[in-house]
């Protein structure tokens, strides 16, 4: 069973590890829906030594109506990207972003799914790093290539058909307004998968962007009774929900296609309302 320390690392602990004999590889995964300036933000200031990762091109295959806005990348492409970042089988990895882990969780999940065991999220992200009084550096970091070998399947996934027939708790990690079908900014239909529960990812975080305490997370997820699966808009922020659940020992499957795949299929039923 996973624990919080398997999933998250705080800024002072990361700083101490970076000063040690076997420093982890740090990946900067700054991205947000509708923005394209993640690399520019990284160049302006990042955790010292951090390597930039492009979510759109390195953590996802090209979008399509059939597969969704962020399909899982081919494992060979992911392995090639991970080697460019400097990932090795024997080196720990820490990932972060500027939005409380909402985008970095995609890298956390993908690397864990592809068999890399020691991957953690920086709790609080870059804001938490700076708030701890730790410095940043500007410019690009070009790492020594890694030699990691990735094998998919270490974390569970579900297909659209499996989500439709899920015998357990299916969590919708999007904002409640999107779940209810009151707004839909990017996908072709508004609403949610019938039977899904609304558990917005943003509720995993405190006001400063760090994860809730274990006690608060357990209270948040305490009513779950069966196997758990999670989806969101395109499989990105749902990974944050999987991480939050893992921090308190609950395994959850990810539906990678998520609502962007489901809502593009006219044969799939759609529910609305809270």
């Amino acid at each position: 069973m996973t624990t919080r320390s398997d999933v998250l690392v705080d800024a002072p602990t990361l700083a101490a590890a970076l000063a040690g004999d076997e420093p982890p590889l740090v990946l900067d995964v700054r991205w947000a829906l509708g923005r394209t300036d993640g690399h520019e933000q990284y160049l302006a200031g990042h955790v010292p030594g951090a390597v930039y990762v492009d979510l759109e091109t390195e953590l996802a295959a090209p979008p399509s109506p059939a597969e969704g806005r962020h399909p899982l990348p081919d494992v060979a492409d992911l392995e090639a990207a991970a080697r460019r970042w400097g990932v090795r089988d024997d080196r720990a990895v820490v990932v972060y972003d500027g939005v409380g882990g909402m985008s970095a969780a995609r890298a956390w999940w993908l690397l864990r799914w592809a068999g890399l065991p020691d991957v953690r999220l920086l709790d609080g992200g870059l804001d938490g790093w700076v708030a701890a009084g730790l410095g940043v550096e500007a410019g690009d970091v070009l790492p020594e290539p890694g030699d990691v070998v990735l094998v998919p399947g270490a974390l569970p996934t579900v297909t659209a058909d499996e989500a439709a027939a899920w015998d357990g708790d299916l969590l919708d990690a999007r904002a409640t307004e999107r779940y209810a079908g009151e707004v839909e900014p990017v996908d072709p239909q508004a609403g949610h998968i019938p039977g899904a529960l609304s558990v917005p990812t943003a509720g995993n975080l405190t006001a400063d962007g760090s994860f809730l305490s274990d006690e608060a997370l357990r209270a948040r997820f305490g009513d779950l009774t069966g196997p758990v699966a999670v989806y969101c808009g395109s499989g990105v922020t749902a990974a944050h929900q999987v991480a939050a659940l893992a921090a308190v020992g609950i395994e959850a499957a990810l539906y990678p296609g998520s609502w962007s795949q489901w809502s593009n299929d006219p044969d799939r039923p759609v529910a609305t309302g809270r």
Side-chain angles (χ1 to χ4, degrees):
M1 186 176 75
T2 55
T3 65
R4 189 181 190 92
S5 63
D6 296 322
V7 178
L8 303 172
V9 60
D10 62 28
T13 302
L14 175 58
L18 289 173
D21 294 335
E22 297 182 357
L25 173 66
V26 182
L27 303 179
D28 183 309
V29 197
R30 270 181 277 182
W31 174 89
L33 185 64
R35 296 186 64 164
T36 59
D37 61 346
H39 191 232
E40 287 75 13
Q41 293 179 46
Y42 162 83
L43 292 173
H46 53 79
V47 172
V51 177
Y52 180 70
V53 173
D54 187 284
L55 186 147
E56 294 283 353
T57 62
E58 296 182 299
L59 300 181
S64 73
E67 298 296 329
R69 283 184 280 111
H70 293 108
L72 297 187
D74 182 87
V75 72
D77 294 335
L78 180 62
E79 181 179 279
R83 290 183 176 189
R84 286 195 303 272
W85 309 329
V87 179
R88 302 196 310 261
D89 290 306
D90 62 350
R91 189 179 185 188
V93 177
V94 174
V95 297
Y96 76 90
D97 57 30
V99 286
M102 296 286 188
S103 56
R106 172 73 170 203
W108 171 85
W109 186 91
L110 274 175
L111 290 173
R112 294 288 305 274
W113 166 79
L116 203 65
D118 194 353
V119 187
R120 289 179 290 172
L121 284 159
L122 174 58
D123 197 8
L126 187 63
D127 288 344
W129 178 267
V130 173
L134 298 163
V136 299
E137 68 176 11
D140 217 346
V141 173
L142 301 176
E144 289 290 324
D147 61 0
V148 70
V149 176
L150 297 181
V151 179
L155 293 182
T157 60
V158 297
T159 64
D161 286 343
E162 289 168 334
W166 190 250
D167 185 17
D169 296 300
L170 179 63
L171 309 186
D172 185 317
R174 298 172 300 159
T176 303
E177 294 78 11
R178 290 184 70 189
Y179 167 89
E182 296 163 0
V183 297
E184 182 43 66
V186 285
D187 291 318
Q189 295 188 74
H192 60 267
I193 298 174
L197 306 173
S198 178
V199 187
T201 300
N204 296 329
L205 300 175
T206 65
D208 67 1
S210 58
F211 277 72
L212 296 174
S213 68
D214 286 358
E215 293 75 18
L217 286 173
R218 289 192 187 99
R220 175 166 163 75
F221 299 123
D223 292 335
L224 303 180
T225 57
V228 181
V230 187
Y231 75 93
C232 59
S234 65
V236 174
T237 58
H240 194 277
Q241 195 89 294
V242 174
L245 287 157
V248 290
I250 301 172
E251 182 181 78
L254 179 74
Y255 170 25
S258 284
W259 187 248
S260 61
Q261 180 186 50
W262 184 280
S263 62
N264 268 289
D265 185 342
D267 293 330
R268 298 284 179 193
V270 172
T272 57
R274 303 188 182 210

